[in-house]
Amino acid sequence: MPGYMLLLYAPEVEATQQAERDAEMPLWNEVTQSLRDAGLLVSVGRLHPVARATTVRVRDGEADLTDGPFAVTKEVLGGYYLLDCADLDEALEHAARLPLSRYGSVEVRPMMDVDSVTTP
């Protein structure tokens, strides 16, 4: 069954607004449990705020570390779901069920089978 990564993006919020988001946890738990019960959930994770991110770039053999995310945007990557769905339509259906889809965005991207990649 193909794998699909659902990348969860939303604007970062202040502590008072975070309480509103935390109040959605029963909705998140409901969707997550339904995906688990259906045998679709491979993995799920929540990320720390971007202030804890470090970006690594290696140029000319030297590692350059930068505090923060790679790109500066209003919406930041906050977590992910990795699902085994029959096809993209099923993955999109589940992405639309996530509470964050109402105020942020959910990027759905098919996983590549690394074993199928051939080297020249």
Side-chain angles (χ1 to χ4, degrees):
M1 193 175 282
Y4 292 91
M5 178 74 77
L6 281 54
L7 301 166
L8 312 176
Y9 291 92
E12 288 200 304
V13 294
E14 302 294 328
T16 55
Q17 295 169 310
Q18 186 60 48
E20 293 175 20
R21 287 192 183 174
D22 290 345
E24 293 181 331
M25 282 313 296
L27 296 172
W28 285 97
N29 292 339
E30 180 182 315
V31 172
T32 301
Q33 188 59 46
S34 72
L35 293 169
R36 187 174 287 122
D37 292 345
L40 300 174
L41 183 62
V42 176
S43 178
V44 61
R46 183 174 177 178
L47 301 176
H48 283 282
V50 294
R52 302 229 3 224
T54 303
T55 300
V56 179
R57 295 179 184 90
V58 176
R59 302 291 186 267
D60 298 323
E62 296 290 326
D64 178 35
L65 307 180
T66 306
D67 290 340
F70 173 72
V72 177
T73 64
K74 281 187 148 189
E75 292 186 341
V76 297
L77 180 62
Y80 72 93
Y81 281 78
L82 180 58
L83 303 179
D84 272 334
C85 295
D87 55 33
L88 178 61
D89 289 339
E90 184 181 13
L92 294 173
E93 179 182 315
H94 293 301
R97 296 174 56 216
L98 295 171
L100 176 132
S101 65
R102 295 188 309 259
Y103 54 84
S105 59
V106 181
E107 178 182 340
V108 178
R109 195 180 301 186
M111 297 293 294
M112 183 180 291
D113 178 6
V114 294
D115 292 333
S116 69
V117 177
T118 58
T119 55

